Coordinates of all heavy atoms in Angstrom, one line a residue:
T1 N 110.3 72.9 111.7 CA 109.7 74.1 112.0 C 110.5 75.1 111.0 O 111.5 75.0 110.8 CB 110.0 74.6 113.5 OG1 109.4 73.7 114.3 CG2 109.6 76.0 113.7
V2 N 109.6 75.9 110.4 CA 110.1 77.0 109.4 C 109.6 78.3 109.9 O 108.4 78.4 110.3 CB 109.5 76.6 108.0 CG1 109.8 77.7 106.9 CG2 109.9 75.3 107.6
S3 N 110.4 79.3 109.8 CA 110.2 80.6 110.2 C 110.1 81.4 109.0 O 110.9 81.4 108.0 CB 111.4 81.1 111.2 OG 111.4 82.5 111.4
L4 N 109.2 82.5 109.0 CA 109.2 83.5 108.0 C 110.4 84.1 107.8 O 110.9 84.4 106.7 CB 108.1 84.5 108.3 CG 107.8 85.6 107.3 CD1 107.4 85.1 105.9 CD2 106.8 86.6 107.8
Y5 N 111.2 84.4 108.9 CA 112.4 85.0 108.9 C 113.6 84.3 108.3 O 114.7 84.8 108.1 CB 112.8 85.6 110.2 CG 111.9 86.9 110.5 CD1 110.6 86.9 110.8 CD2 112.5 88.2 110.2 CE1 109.8 88.1 111.0 CE2 111.8 89.3 110.3 CZ 110.5 89.3 110.6 OH 109.7 90.5 110.9
D6 N 113.2 82.9 108.1 CA 114.3 82.1 107.4 C 114.6 82.7 106.0 O 115.6 82.4 105.4 CB 113.9 80.6 107.3 CG 113.9 79.9 108.5 OD1 114.5 80.4 109.6 OD2 113.2 78.8 108.7
F7 N 113.6 83.3 105.5 CA 113.7 83.8 104.1 C 113.9 85.3 103.9 O 113.8 86.1 103.0 CB 112.4 83.5 103.3 CG 112.0 82.1 103.6 CD1 111.2 81.6 104.5 CD2 112.8 81.0 102.7 CE1 111.0 80.2 104.5 CE2 112.5 79.8 102.9 CZ 111.6 79.3 103.9
K8 N 114.4 85.9 105.0 CA 114.8 87.4 105.1 C 115.8 87.6 103.9 O 116.6 86.6 103.6 CB 115.3 87.9 106.4 CG 115.7 89.4 106.5 CD 116.3 89.6 107.8 CE 116.5 91.1 107.9 NZ 117.4 91.7 106.9
D9 N 115.8 88.6 103.3 CA 116.6 89.1 102.2 C 115.9 88.5 100.8 O 116.5 88.8 99.8 CB 118.1 88.6 102.3 CG 118.8 89.3 103.5 OD1 118.4 90.4 103.8 OD2 119.5 88.6 104.1
N10 N 114.9 87.8 100.9 CA 114.1 87.5 99.7 C 112.9 88.2 99.7 O 112.3 88.6 100.7 CB 113.7 86.0 99.7 CG 114.8 85.1 99.2 OD1 115.9 85.5 99.0 ND2 114.5 83.8 99.3
A11 N 112.3 88.5 98.5 CA 111.0 89.0 98.3 C 110.1 87.8 98.5 O 110.4 86.6 98.1 CB 110.8 89.5 96.9
I12 N 109.0 88.0 99.3 CA 108.1 86.9 99.7 C 106.7 87.1 99.3 O 106.2 88.3 99.6 CB 108.3 86.7 101.3 CG1 109.7 86.5 101.7 CG2 107.4 85.6 101.8 CD1 110.0 86.5 103.2
V13 N 106.0 86.1 98.9 CA 104.6 86.1 98.7 C 104.2 85.2 99.8 O 104.5 83.9 99.9 CB 104.1 85.7 97.4 CG1 102.5 85.3 97.5 CG2 104.3 86.7 96.3
L14 N 103.3 85.6 100.7 CA 102.7 84.8 101.8 C 101.2 84.5 101.5 O 100.5 85.4 101.4 CB 102.9 85.6 103.1 CG 102.7 84.8 104.5 CD1 103.5 83.5 104.6 CD2 102.9 85.7 105.6
D15 N 100.9 83.3 101.1 CA 99.6 83.1 100.7 C 98.8 82.2 101.6 O 99.1 81.1 101.9 CB 99.8 82.1 99.3 CG 98.6 81.4 98.8 OD1 97.5 81.4 99.4 OD2 98.8 80.7 97.8
F16 N 97.8 82.8 102.3 CA 97.0 82.2 103.3 C 95.8 81.5 102.5 O 95.0 82.2 101.9 CB 96.5 83.2 104.4 CG 97.6 83.8 105.2 CD1 98.3 85.0 104.9 CD2 97.9 83.0 106.3 CE1 99.1 85.3 105.8 CE2 99.0 83.5 107.1 CZ 99.6 84.6 106.9
S17 N 95.8 80.1 102.6 CA 94.8 79.5 101.7 C 94.2 78.4 102.7 O 94.7 78.1 103.8 CB 95.5 78.8 100.6 OG 95.7 79.7 99.6
T18 N 93.1 77.7 102.2 CA 92.5 76.5 102.7 C 92.4 75.5 101.6 O 92.3 75.9 100.4 CB 91.1 76.8 103.3 OG1 90.2 77.2 102.3 CG2 91.2 78.0 104.4
A19 N 92.4 74.2 102.1 CA 92.3 73.2 101.1 C 91.0 73.2 100.4 O 90.8 72.8 99.2 CB 92.5 71.8 101.7
W20 N 89.9 73.6 101.1 CA 88.5 73.4 100.5 C 88.1 74.6 99.5 O 87.1 74.6 98.9 CB 87.5 73.3 101.6 CG 87.7 74.4 102.7 CD1 88.2 74.1 103.9 CD2 87.2 75.7 102.9 NE1 88.3 75.3 104.7 CE2 87.6 76.3 104.1 CE3 86.6 76.5 101.9 CZ2 87.3 77.5 104.3 CZ3 86.2 77.8 102.2 CH2 86.7 78.4 103.4
C21 N 89.1 75.7 99.4 CA 88.7 76.8 98.7 C 89.1 76.6 97.3 O 90.4 76.3 96.9 CB 89.4 78.0 99.3 SG 89.8 79.3 98.1
Y22 N 88.2 76.7 96.2 CA 88.6 76.5 94.8 C 89.7 77.5 94.4 O 90.6 77.0 93.7 CB 87.3 76.8 94.0 CG 87.6 76.8 92.5 CD1 87.8 75.6 91.8 CD2 87.7 78.0 91.8 CE1 88.2 75.6 90.5 CE2 88.1 77.9 90.5 CZ 88.3 76.8 89.8 OH 88.6 76.9 88.4
Y23 N 89.6 78.8 94.8 CA 90.6 79.7 94.2 C 91.9 79.5 94.9 O 93.0 79.7 94.3 CB 90.2 81.1 94.4 CG 88.9 81.5 93.5 CD1 87.7 81.6 94.1 CD2 89.1 81.7 92.2 CE1 86.5 81.7 93.2 CE2 87.9 81.8 91.4 CZ 86.6 81.9 91.8 OH 85.6 82.2 91.1
C24 N 91.9 78.9 96.1 CA 93.1 78.6 96.8 C 93.8 77.4 96.0 O 95.1 77.3 95.9 CB 92.9 78.1 98.1 SG 92.3 79.4 99.2
Q25 N 93.1 76.4 95.5 CA 93.5 75.3 94.7 C 94.2 75.9 93.4 O 95.1 75.3 92.9 CB 92.5 74.4 94.5 CG 92.0 73.6 95.7 CD 90.8 72.7 95.5 OE1 90.6 72.3 94.3 NE2 90.0 72.5 96.6
A26 N 93.4 76.8 92.8 CA 94.0 77.4 91.6 C 95.2 78.1 91.8 O 96.2 77.9 91.0 CB 93.0 78.4 90.9
A27 N 95.5 78.8 92.9 CA 96.7 79.4 93.3 C 97.8 78.4 93.5 O 98.9 78.5 93.0 CB 96.6 80.3 94.5
A28 N 97.3 77.2 94.2 CA 98.4 76.2 94.5 C 98.9 75.5 93.1 O 100.1 75.3 93.0 CB 97.8 75.1 95.4
F29 N 97.9 75.4 92.1 CA 98.3 74.9 90.9 C 99.3 75.6 90.2 O 100.1 75.2 89.5 CB 97.0 74.7 90.1 CG 97.3 74.1 88.7 CD1 97.5 72.7 88.6 CD2 97.2 74.8 87.5 CE1 97.6 72.2 87.3 CE2 97.5 74.3 86.4 CZ 97.7 73.0 86.2
E30 N 99.2 77.1 90.4 CA 100.4 78.0 89.7 C 101.5 78.2 90.5 O 102.4 78.8 90.1 CB 99.6 79.1 89.2 CG 98.6 78.9 88.1 CD 98.2 80.1 87.4 OE1 98.8 81.1 87.3 OE2 96.9 80.2 87.0
S31 N 101.5 77.9 91.8 CA 102.4 78.3 92.8 C 103.9 78.0 92.5 O 104.8 78.7 92.5 CB 102.1 77.9 94.2 OG 102.1 76.5 94.4
Q32 N 104.1 76.6 91.9 CA 105.3 76.2 91.6 C 105.9 76.9 90.3 O 107.1 77.3 90.4 CB 105.4 74.6 91.5 CG 106.8 74.0 91.3 CD 107.7 74.4 92.5 OE1 107.3 74.0 93.5 NE2 108.9 75.0 92.2

């Protein structure tokens, strides 16, 4: 279990995606 608040004090990008979405896959490809 991971909490959003585990990363408090960091700037956060919260990316809501789906596996079947092409642009989500493009974002995942660049996320690292």
Side-chain angles (χ1 to χ4, degrees):
T1 299
V2 176
S3 165
L4 178 62
Y5 281 81
D6 290 344
F7 307 100
K8 185 181 181 306
D9 299 326
N10 277 359
I12 300 169
V13 166
L14 191 55
D15 166 357
F16 289 96
S17 286
T18 64
W20 47 263
C21 157
Y22 170 79
Y23 294 103
C24 300
Q25 293 174 23
F29 182 73
E30 292 191 33
S31 64
Q32 188 61 55

